[in-house]
Amino acid sequence: MGLDYIRAQTGKPWRKRWNGGLDRLKLPTLFELTMSETARTVTAQLDASCRLKAGDTLIVQTAPDGLTVSDGLRAVGHIANPASEMTAAIADGGGYAEGVVQRVGLFGDTAEISVK
């Protein structure tokens, strides 16, 4: 009597009740990993005399030994070992790219720059 009573009073088992929800969870668009714009973030070594803050717009350009970060005509930092994909992307864009300062290090000697 116990098992029949439970089945009659509770309706469908949990798995069947949420079967549609499980099908929705399996769809590839729920956690889609494709992004519309590729964001590349690098850490730059800054010169001691520069004063940057989060949100500043900089110019990132190719150099023989890495990438140079400039604020207008004044060089403010250097990226020593950038990823080859980033170097190729900047070279394809004419050798220059726009960068935005995301975060400045505690001592002001490094900055995380998001390159577009």
Side-chain angles (χ1 to χ4, degrees):
M1 176 178 157
L3 188 57
D4 293 333
Y5 175 77
I6 291 172
R7 285 184 180 164
Q9 296 301 318
T10 59
K12 294 181 179 179
W14 180 85
R15 185 163 187 79
K16 288 188 177 184
R17 189 177 302 150
W18 289 98
N19 197 14
L22 290 175
D23 289 341
R24 284 192 306 272
L25 286 175
K26 294 176 187 177
L27 292 176
T29 58
L30 182 62
F31 297 110
E32 190 171 336
L33 297 177
T34 57
M35 301 176 78
S36 61
E37 183 176 324
T38 304
R40 298 174 180 95
T41 303
V42 292
T43 302
Q45 297 294 325
L46 299 177
D47 295 338
S49 62
C50 74
R51 301 286 180 240
L52 295 177
K53 61 184 181 301
D56 287 348
T57 302
L58 303 172
I59 299 169
V60 180
Q61 60 187 6
T62 57
D65 57 344
L67 299 173
T68 302
V69 180
S70 303
D71 185 15
L73 297 174
R74 182 175 56 103
V76 295
H78 182 74
I79 302 167
N81 296 320
S84 59
E85 297 88 17
M86 179 175 287
T87 305
I90 292 174
D92 290 343
Y96 298 94
E98 179 184 352
V100 177
V101 178
Q102 298 296 320
R103 198 172 330 176
V104 178
L106 182 63
F107 300 112
D109 58 344
T110 60
E112 289 184 11
I113 300 172
S114 175
V115 180
K116 295 182 181 178

